[in-house]
Amino acid sequence: MSVSFLRRRPTVGVDLGTSAFRLCRHDSNRIVLLPAVIAMNTRNSDIVATGEDAARMLGRTPAGLAAACPMQNSAVADFDLAVLLTRELFR
């Protein structure tokens, strides 16, 4: 059985920190820090913003929008939001 398909994909390291996600590719010396914040429309559950854009919305969202940090106190506080945020970061 060949495992050559594993060599084609870049290896990515992810640190799900409380305040920021750290992303690093194996073939790059760059580390990307993104705030672990997600903003959603409360009426239809659409994602409005993630990362820095969502962090700027904390405490300032109008009715119908909610900004939240799915990671709190070094633990996953809201699993569903953490999954949505992680998916968005890899798009």
Side-chain angles (χ1 to χ4, degrees):
M1 184 169 146
S2 174
V3 291
S4 63
F5 69 92
L6 293 175
R7 293 187 193 119
R8 291 186 204 143
R9 294 183 183 170
T11 304
V12 178
V14 179
D15 175 21
L16 304 176
T18 300
S19 62
F21 283 8
R22 290 181 180 93
L23 304 170
C24 179
R25 283 182 54 159
H26 180 268
D27 59 351
S28 173
N29 290 333
R30 221 172 72 169
I31 296 175
V32 179
L33 292 172
L34 299 167
V37 183
I38 187 168
M40 295 186 67
N41 185 328
T42 57
R43 295 182 184 124
N44 58 12
S45 299
D46 284 344
I47 297 172
V48 176
T50 58
E52 292 180 14
D53 293 335
R56 282 190 232 113
M57 298 174 95
L58 279 173
R60 304 177 201 191
T61 55
L65 292 181
C69 301
M71 310 292 284
Q72 295 176 358
N73 300 325
S74 300
V76 178
D78 189 330
F79 181 78
D80 295 329
L81 285 181
V83 169
L84 288 174
L85 179 58
T86 305
R87 283 184 185 160
E88 283 296 310
L89 293 178
F90 282 103
R91 285 189 182 201

